[in-house]
């Protein structure tokens, strides 16, 4: 059931029709190689190229960056990105690979960069020609974002950057990084500034990128070391010392609570044969129907049935919560549901994957690299990868602090 | 099926809801509720039924109970989401009244295609309150089970149990078994041969009773055989209205406890500073939001006649029930010693939530039914 | 199964035999009236008298205060209270009514009072002739014990006491109260002192006792107001300013982590007919077998079965944890299990009672004052009363802090 | 039945346990384990089996595997609690070895009253390692199910699945179906006609394989019909040993995470200050203590031949399994980004716990069996 269309403005309705028509004719079909579960796990250059060509096609069709002004490469529309996302999801398109750039880079640059830099950066970001990554985390900083040690020192019209960033997803492919760093040691918050820095072009000239291996055995993220990287002052975003403020723009968009809706495509099942979607409780139900446990179908075990139904309820609630955010009369506080969203969806995915492993029983011991693994081992992989998302972007513990403080007005835990 | 915009919750519904919210904040803030239902406390109390009948009269005059009565029967003809919004506000106020029963009767009667049912709907629109008497002594959730028999001349004998707000409602809507199946009947509270034997219940905002029928003459609104169908068809709507009540009560418990956590100081800090308080309150907020969204979605599904309305309504009730227990439990715990007293307003909502969770089936019951719909039946 | 006997010392073995023999001959039988679920809920004077006569008999038989020296009215034995408790529990005796006195008053007085006062107070405390209560909580203090506002002012050889205590269980019957109060406003911790104060004899002369009503509708605890109560300095425990230290003795014993084992009797089912014990998961299983839900026995609902089994596991684990504390070789940290005990047992009881209500379905709506209530409405009563114990004596939130800090060495949350 | 003092855990058992603890802290601290099983990492790795066979040889020379072999067969004749204590230490070290399999075989063989079984126990006492091959391709938990057939001349054909540490053990103890029921057989790892097809598994501290039998000659240790009885009788002991491994691994995860929480500073405080970290760690401690006490109690019940030993052992495994998942999950979460990397030692224990929880049946499986014992069977 969908009420998307019912609330369209005339512009949205016209745009939706065109998008739908284009998507019907231009879905790229199955990829010629196996894609990882999400853009953040892409490590194979062939996968990158295939995904990049899809993003370029979607951008050229006006489905990416729709609400940004035409001067910076956007579509110049109003509230159409939401429509594009809905239609791409319904059409089961592949995901957009430049996910950090679209979700965090673009709005940050748009609201804080100089006009000419926006015009230089944003079109290639939208098309996927240039991949972006993000440099917030440091080895010692964790969830305490203000505790940045990477230092940018002024040198005439340039800045010289030294430091160490970790968990820099996609850095091995990235042309640019959005970088929060320290420009003064005197003031924790006002001593931060925000830059866009080159990565690919600067490798060997002050930038080193090293892959980090995840607990799953996959790569996909990295550590980036800056050793005297020199960048021009035009790469600075907003004022010197305004880094914290700029970072809030980034974070608000990361949490889906910013002004610009993030372009998002997706819905294509990763494995055509199994139809596994680690986002969908129907996949759990199907798994339980196929899986024998102690001689009985797992789907006949009432206690497991109860656990599966709880996942259906949480999943449906998440969908309906998103729908309710669009009804101002049924909201209590503008940020109340949007700020829950990351926490809820990541914990739901974690719990669903964990349940799937128990449904599989001994089969859950098999790695995704074993051909005999039930559901291609995707649930075990998904379970481990969910810890990336319950930790990243502010752990869910921090998300609960934010909700308690901003929505319920409770005292700050610090 | 395409759903309408905004769950079908339009300007009229919003206006009605806002006026209900104002009404309760003017007329039944928690201190007044406590004075009404809890202040004169008798430790060996008999079966109390404390409520403000005048306030109820105002409610009917404001047209709330006419809201979902079809225009053809003199009502306003609003969708279920309107009743849901009113129930949410009533729950937030812990309103002692026959409102839920009257809404339930409204949706059952709307499914009975008889002149008597239409007349009964007209009476509701004019302010007559009702409650359902459709549960047997074993608390069966099956609409076909009843301990009341109807004879050929339409007279009732037997008993109906767990009748909600029985001493507040003007009339009862009774399921009774005849030779050709279960029919539905209306009896006035003061009918000859009818006895109302109150239960002593934990919830201080409701009353509950056993109705005894000794050859009571009754008005047939659904003939034998049609009663069960009408009751089953109305179940999704009833689940939505009850879930909404729990959402409202849950929100009261959340906001009241959050307010306490903002102001109560322990170890030189407001207790909301501590994550042992803060995070469970956030979790409660999530549970409430989930219940609320599922409830409005299910109500909307009922309004458009969606095929999966029962599935969606069971989801709402399952979620609302587990949330209800959690909301009461955390509110008492985080109020500390004060929360454990009769004086504290929290106990009234705590008990109302415990009562609501078992009405019309608890979370476990509905999840078991949902499993059949969502996973498929258990293999024999 | 029990390994109690296997580890007895010769003294314990001899004592156990005598206790067992005496109990076989002297169990008081069923009470002539309905008792509440625990000593803390006693409000009927007839119930008090019946329970008091049981305590006196047990004391005279040497089963109460066994390990205290004979000079203060004790049995002068070594590690025999444990044996007495085991045998009284096995014999299903009624509970001991002077529970605050035995658990907190006696050890506090014993370790901190002057010798002559011990000799005056303890024998009548053990026998139950004089009931004791405790004055820690104040309207504004909650879990922050050091935040005492009740003030004792020195006046020559006397002290004058003014203030307001709440949740003073049994104060309506009490002869004495152990009282923590402030003697200096300059220092939060060192400004506290500890006294024993008369209650019954001082009513109307500086002491007012008012009943508080619990959310269940029962009474059993009170608020106590002090308005210029005068007591002699000999009622002071330990030094002026040492109140915090003395309070730690009280709390350690309250949490079963003190030097003296608390005399504890019990095991008598409250309701002979139903056999309900809100401490015993077997009662839940029985309830589920008797209860119809939607036309089926609750015991046939697999999801409910699973929940009941979880209670059995937690209950058995609690029993075996206690057994393991007596095996030094299988302990990791001396306080690790003892400090868990209050938190675990109270949450288990709360969860069991909550589950019972769901098993009962509509029957759970009925009050214990309704004759039709399943299991005499004891589960609903028990559920509400468990909040008394998850809150009292330091909320379970505070218990978790203590465990995290003392056993795991984590930083103090303050 | 009267239980012995201290779970029967006496001085000898304590000494053995203490020496095991020293052995692992000297020889297999977590950094060395990581170097052994994880350092040389191949992202498209085949089925690895990394372990230190010399360390295992030392273990057998220390007499651990002889501990529970009866004195009559050349063993030490200690009770199950001794094996449980050793398994707890092995779990705490994440020890890659055929130790669990060898203990399992020991308890199965003790239930086979044949000379061949006694001789096999003697071999264990002398240092031969074993593992069970008793699971079919569908992972059945029923001891009677097997995909291996035995012919009249005692030769095996078929396959055994999910065989633990198959490439570490010297011999396999196989269940096979003959004309008169299930018997038990021993085959050497290098036997003719036997193939060992490794699985690729998530756990880096174990290996697992499918054994293929093509007319393999085998030594009968329990004749057809007696094998199922012996397997079922040994189940409580096997559950105890496995639960103990999980308790040890859980304790490693707890202590390692607590250490991290004491030292890692965020927002100017060690993160253990925050109740969002502190309280779940306390909850984990409680879960571990519950599992540990239930495990020693069940082992003691096995040692004295108590009637309810299977019930108590199922309780231990159910509790250990749910604790195991929780321990890994919280350890990764509270280590933050570092905990999510291959480099971090936590991942090895996280995966070992996930693997252990499903071996011999997970928490859900055992609770379902317990329900029958504790509540009574479901009415038909």
């Amino acid at each position: 059931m969908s009420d998307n269309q019912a609330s369209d403005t005339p512009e949205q309705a016209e745009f939706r029709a065109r998008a739908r028509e284009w998507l019907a004719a231009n879905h790229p079909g199955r990829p010629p190689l196996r894609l990882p579960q999400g853009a953040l796990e892409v490590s194979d250059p062939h996968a990158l190229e295939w995904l990049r060509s899809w993003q370029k096609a979607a951008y050229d069709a006006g489905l990416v960056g729709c609400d940004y002004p035409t001067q910076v490469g956007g579509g110049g529309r109003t509230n159409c990105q939401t429509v594009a996302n809905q239609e791409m999801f319904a059409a089961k398109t592949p995901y957009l690979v430049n996910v950090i750039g679209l979700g965090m880079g673009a709005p940050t640059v748009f609201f804080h960069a100089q006009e000419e830099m926006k015009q230089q950066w944003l079109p290639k970001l939208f098309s996927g020609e240039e991949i972006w990554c993000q440099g917030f985390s440091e080895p010692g900083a964790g969830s305490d974002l203000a505790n940045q040690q990477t230092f940018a020192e002024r040198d005439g019209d340039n800045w010289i950057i030294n430091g160490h960033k970790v968990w820099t997803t996609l850095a091995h492919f990235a042309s640019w990084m959005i970088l929060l760093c320290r420009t003064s040691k005197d003031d924790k918050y006002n001593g931060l500034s925000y830059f866009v820095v080159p990565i690919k072009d600067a490798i060997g000239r002050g930038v080193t990128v090293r892959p980090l291996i995840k607990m799953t055995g996959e790569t996909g993220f990295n550590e980036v070391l800056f050793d005297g990287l020199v960048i021009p002052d035009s790469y600075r975003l907003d004022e010197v010392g305004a880094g914290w403020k700029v970072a809030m723009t980034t974070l608000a968009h990361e949490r889906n609570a910013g002004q610009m809706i993030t372009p998002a495509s997706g819905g294509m099942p990763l494995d055509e044969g199994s139809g596994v979607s680690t986002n969908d409780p129907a996949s759990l139900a199907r798994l339980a129907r196929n899986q024998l446990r102690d001689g009985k179908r797992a789907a006949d075990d009432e206690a497991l049935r109860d656990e599966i139904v709880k996942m259906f309820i949480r999943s449906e609630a998440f969908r309906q919560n998103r729908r309710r955010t669009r009804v101002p009369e049924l909201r209590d506080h503008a940020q109340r549901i949007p700020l829950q969203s990351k926490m809820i969806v990541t914990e739901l995915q974690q719990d669903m994957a964990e349940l799937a492993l128990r449904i599989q029983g001994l089969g859950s011991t098999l790695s995704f690299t074993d051909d005999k693994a039930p559901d291609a081992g995707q649930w075990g992989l998904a379970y481990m990868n969910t810890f990336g998302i319950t930790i990243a972007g502010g752990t869910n513990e921090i998300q609960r602090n934010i909700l308690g403080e901003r929505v319920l007005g409770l005292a700050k835990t610090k | 099926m395409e759903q309408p915009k905004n769950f079908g919750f339009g300007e009229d519904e919003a206006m009605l809801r806002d006026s209900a919210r104002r009404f309760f904040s003017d007329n039944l803030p928690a201190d007044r509720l406590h004075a009404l239902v809890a202040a004169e406390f008798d430790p060996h109390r008999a079966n109390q039924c404390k409520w403000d009948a005048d306030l109820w009269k105002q409610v009917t005059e404001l047209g709330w109970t006419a809201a979902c009565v079809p225009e053809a029967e003199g009502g306003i003809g609003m969708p279920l989401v309107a009743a849901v919004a009113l129930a949410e506000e009533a729950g937030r106020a812990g309103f002692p009244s026959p409102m839920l029963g009257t809404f339930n009767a409204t949706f059952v009667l709307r499914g009975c295609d008889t002149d008597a049912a239409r007349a009964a709907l007209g009476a509701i629109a004019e302010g007559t309150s009702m409650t359902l008497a459709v549960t047997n002594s074993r608390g069966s959730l099956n609409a076909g089970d009843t301990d009341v028999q109807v004879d050929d001349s339409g007279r009732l004998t037997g008993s109906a149990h767990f009748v909600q707000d029985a001493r507040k409602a003007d009339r009862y809507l009774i399921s009774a078994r005849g030779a050709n199946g279960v029919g539905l009947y209306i009896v006035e509270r003061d009918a000859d041969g009818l006895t109302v034997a109150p239960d002593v219940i934990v919830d201080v905002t409701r009353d509950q009773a056993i109705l005894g029928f000794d050859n009571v003459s009754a008005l047939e609104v659904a003939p034998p055989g049609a009663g069960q169908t009408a009751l089953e068809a109305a179940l999704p709507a009833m689940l939505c209205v009850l879930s909404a009540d729990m959402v409202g009560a849950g929100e009261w418990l959340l906001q009241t406890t959050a307010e306490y956590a903002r102001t109560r100081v322990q170890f030189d800090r407001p207790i909301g500073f501590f994550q042992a308080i803060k995070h469970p309150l956030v979790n409660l907020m999530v549970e409430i939001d989930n219940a609320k969204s599922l409830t409005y979605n299910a109500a909307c599904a009922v309004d458009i006649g969606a095929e999966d309305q029962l599935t969606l309504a069971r989801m709402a009730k399952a979620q609302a029930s587990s949330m209800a227990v959690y909301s009461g439990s955390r509110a008492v715990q985080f109020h500390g010693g004060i929360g454990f007293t009769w004086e504290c307003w929290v106990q009234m909502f705590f008990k109302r939530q415990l009562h609501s969770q078992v009405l019309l089936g608890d979370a476990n019951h509905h999840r078991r039914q949902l499993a059949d719909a969502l996973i498929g039946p258990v293999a024999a």
Side-chain angles (χ1 to χ4, degrees), chain A, chain B:
Chain A
M1 251 179 288
S2 155
D3 61 347
N4 293 332
Q5 267 186 294
S7 54
D8 276 351
T9 63
E11 181 187 1
Q12 287 176 318
E14 179 265 333
F15 178 76
R16 185 185 299 280
R18 291 211 307 158
R20 198 171 286 187
E21 186 181 353
W22 184 85
L23 284 162
N26 294 282
H27 190 291
R30 303 291 311 162
L33 70 186
R34 187 158 171 179
L35 294 178
Q37 289 181 331
L40 303 185
E41 280 87 46
V42 173
S43 59
D44 173 358
H46 300 292
L48 174 72
E49 283 319 310
W50 191 83
L51 287 163
R52 206 181 339 220
S53 67
W54 157 244
Q55 182 170 334
K56 173 89 168 44
Y59 172 62
D60 290 343
L63 298 172
V64 176
C66 331
D67 298 339
Y68 285 84
T70 52
Q71 298 91 305
V72 300
R77 299 180 175 276
T78 304
N79 296 329
C80 282
Q81 190 63 56
T82 284
V83 174
N85 294 357
Q86 289 163 354
E87 294 301 321
M88 286 193 283
F89 194 84
K92 297 192 196 297
T93 54
Y95 46 73
L96 296 175
V97 70
N98 201 11
V99 58
I100 305 280
L102 293 168
M104 295 187 253
T108 306
V109 163
F110 179 67
F111 288 111
H112 299 283
Q114 299 171 25
E115 188 60 31
E116 63 172 294
M117 298 315 298
K118 295 186 205 181
Q119 293 175 19
Q120 176 188 329
W121 282 323
L122 289 175
K124 293 178 180 173
L125 186 163
F126 293 139
S127 72
E129 181 177 340
E130 292 180 345
I131 301 294
W132 285 57
C133 68
Q134 178 245 50
F136 274 18
S137 295
E138 298 193 358
S143 292
D144 186 2
L145 192 58
N147 187 24
Q148 299 286 324
Q149 299 303 317
T150 294
F151 203 85
E153 192 179 358
R154 186 116 204 187
D155 179 27
D157 272 353
N158 291 328
W159 294 85
I160 303 174
I161 296 178
N162 285 287
H164 186 180
K165 294 284 173 178
V166 289
W167 325 130
T168 47
T169 310
L170 295 175
H172 49 305
F173 294 135
S175 301
W176 301 98
M177 172 191 275
I178 49 174
L179 174 72
L180 181 64
C181 61
R182 185 155 295 290
T183 43
S184 155
K185 290 178 178 161
D186 299 336
D187 184 323
K188 186 167 179 180
Y189 289 86
N190 294 317
L192 298 172
S193 299
Y194 207 119
F195 300 89
V196 171
V197 298
I199 297 294
K200 196 187 282 177
D201 287 352
I203 284 177
R205 297 187 298 106
V207 170
T208 308
V209 177
R210 285 196 211 126
L212 285 171
I213 302 169
K214 296 194 287 190
M215 66 188 296
T216 58
E218 300 164 298
T219 55
F221 62 10
N222 308 273
E223 51 187 345
V224 177
L225 290 92
F226 296 103
D227 181 15
L229 171 69
V230 179
I231 58 165
D233 189 47
S234 60
Y235 286 6
R236 172 168 50 78
L237 301 187
D238 219 304
E239 302 303 318
V240 174
W244 184 254
K245 184 183 84 180
V246 182
M248 290 305 105
T249 299
T250 312
L251 290 183
H253 285 85
E254 180 181 14
R255 289 169 189 151
N256 274 315
Q259 282 176 263
M260 303 304 287
I261 298 290
T262 298
S265 168
M268 186 169 77
L270 291 175
D271 187 330
E272 192 71 40
S274 76
V276 177
S277 161
T278 53
N279 278 316
D280 182 2
S283 287
L284 278 179
R286 189 194 44 71
L287 175 66
R289 285 191 299 267
N290 295 337
Q291 189 73 43
L292 286 179
R293 276 171 67 89
D294 197 23
K296 284 205 321 192
R297 295 191 319 161
D300 298 337
D301 179 314
E302 301 242 26
L304 285 178
R305 288 165 75 82
D306 200 49
E307 291 197 65
I308 295 169
V309 169
K310 284 177 182 168
M311 300 301 164
F312 271 102
I313 293 173
R314 287 166 64 181
S315 174
E316 184 67 26
F318 181 71
R319 272 162 37 90
Q320 299 303 334
N321 268 336
R322 299 228 299 211
R323 192 169 159 215
R324 183 155 64 83
T325 54
R326 300 200 294 270
V327 190
E329 292 79 14
L330 292 176
R331 274 191 333 219
D332 303 273
H333 179 293
Q335 290 300 298
R336 179 165 159 166
I337 292 176
L339 282 174
Q340 293 173 25
S341 125
K342 181 238 176 195
M343 178 179 102
I344 290 190
V345 76
T346 57
E347 290 174 8
L348 173 59
Q349 288 176 1
Q350 194 162 88
D351 293 346
M352 276 180 40
E354 192 272 324
L355 172 56
L357 296 183
R358 286 186 287 117
I359 291 172
Q360 293 180 347
L362 285 170
S364 73
T365 59
L366 301 173
S367 163
F368 69 101
T369 51
D370 189 309
D371 292 339
K372 305 181 298 298
D375 280 353
Q378 292 297 304
W379 290 106
L381 205 55
Y383 180 52
M384 290 189 270
N385 275 323
T386 58
F387 287 95
I389 49 179
T390 54
I391 291 166
T395 65
N396 283 5
E397 288 77 13
I398 304 287
Q399 302 293 328
R400 285 189 165 78
N401 281 353
I402 292 172
L403 276 158
E405 291 156 18
R406 296 211 196 141
V407 179
L408 295 175
L410 304 177
K412 280 207 167 206
T413 303
K414 278 226 178 136
Chain B
M1 190 172 305
E2 203 84 357
Q3 284 214 2
K5 185 177 170 183
N6 297 352
F7 303 102
F9 194 86
E11 275 181 36
D12 291 349
E13 289 76 16
M15 268 178 53
L16 184 65
R17 192 265 319 266
D18 293 345
S19 82
R21 192 172 292 186
R22 273 194 308 276
F23 178 84
F24 286 122
S25 92
D26 290 348
N27 294 291
L28 199 65
D31 60 337
R32 220 174 291 175
L33 176 66
H34 194 274
L36 179 65
V37 301
E40 290 171 38
F41 172 72
D42 169 9
H44 304 283
R45 71 190 186 285
N47 12 37
Q48 70 169 17
C49 170
K50 295 186 173 165
W51 68 307
D52 181 343
D54 287 340
L55 210 59
W56 173 247
K57 189 147 184 289
Q58 290 179 52
V59 161
T60 59
E61 286 164 4
L62 286 166
W64 298 4
T65 50
C68 295
V69 172
E71 288 179 83
E73 318 327 326
I76 309 178
M78 294 178 88
L80 173 57
V81 288
V84 157
L86 292 168
E88 186 184 343
E89 297 306 319
R92 192 194 307 266
F95 187 35
S97 79
M99 190 166 124
L100 258 66
T102 304
F103 282 138
N104 288 342
T106 301
F107 286 93
V108 174
L109 290 167
R110 278 171 52 169
C112 302
D113 186 23
T114 63
D115 288 340
R118 283 185 280 271
L121 282 165
I124 288 176
E126 282 163 16
T128 302
S129 62
M130 294 188 73
T131 191
L132 301 193
V134 299
T135 309
N136 67 15
S137 63
R138 298 172 308 290
S140 170
L141 296 166
N142 186 334
D145 290 344
T146 168
D147 292 340
V148 184
Q149 313 295 326
V150 59
D151 66 17
D152 292 345
S153 56
R155 299 181 82 88
L156 308 183
T157 298
S159 59
H161 299 255
F162 303 105
V163 178
Q164 301 303 303
D165 298 305
R167 284 180 280 168
K168 304 186 186 87
D170 300 320
R171 317 170 101 189
Y172 305 116
L173 181 59
I174 301 135
S175 64
R177 180 168 294 280
N180 297 313
V182 174
L184 295 175
Y185 302 87
I186 287 178
V187 166
E188 305 289 324
R189 192 172 60 197
D190 57 2
D192 282 344
L194 173 68
T195 51
V196 178
D199 295 334
V200 193
I201 61 173
V202 177
D203 185 354
V204 293
T205 68
R206 286 187 171 101
D207 79 278
Q208 183 173 288
I210 301 172
L211 304 190
F213 300 90
D214 180 11
N215 205 31
V216 177
S217 80
L219 176 71
E220 180 184 284
V221 290
Q228 185 163 345
T229 314
L231 278 175
E232 282 169 2
L235 181 59
M238 295 197 279
L239 292 172
C240 290
V241 171
L242 180 55
S243 298
D245 186 287
M246 297 157 91
V247 166
E251 188 72 22
W252 186 91
L253 286 161
L254 171 67
Q255 296 301 342
T256 303
T257 309
E259 169 64 20
Y260 189 74
R262 288 192 290 268
T263 51
R264 167 76 166 169
V265 174
Q266 291 266 280
F267 305 106
D268 308 318
R269 298 180 184 279
I271 61 172
F273 164 88
F274 297 103
Q275 289 170 321
I277 308 283
K278 179 180 286 175
H279 288 196
L281 284 179
V282 168
N283 292 343
L284 173 56
M285 176 166 74
V286 169
E287 296 296 326
I288 293 170
D289 280 322
N290 284 356
K292 181 166 177 169
S293 296
L294 288 169
T295 299
Y296 279 89
N297 176 52
C300 178
V302 171
D303 283 326
I304 63 170
E307 258 183 44
D308 56 355
Q309 57 178 273
L310 180 57
T311 292
L312 297 173
R314 288 194 195 280
M315 284 187 174
K317 179 60 167 63
Q319 171 62 24
S321 293
S322 53
M323 172 278 286
V325 178
Y326 188 62
S327 66
S329 146
R330 293 307 86 192
V332 170
Q333 180 71 21
F334 297 156
H335 273 78
I338 286 287
F340 188 56
T341 63
W342 188 266
E343 272 314 293
C344 181
W345 305 333
V346 167
Q347 58 108 345
M348 302 185 292
F349 291 85
F350 171 96
K351 293 170 182 172
R352 187 178 176 98
Q353 294 288 65
L354 284 181
H355 190 103
S356 298
Q357 74 146 337
V358 296
L359 290 183
L360 300 176
D362 67 6
N364 179 285
H365 167 80
H366 289 292
R367 287 199 305 265
R368 204 171 60 230
Q369 308 297 321
L370 284 167
D372 291 341
L374 299 169
I375 306 174
V378 173

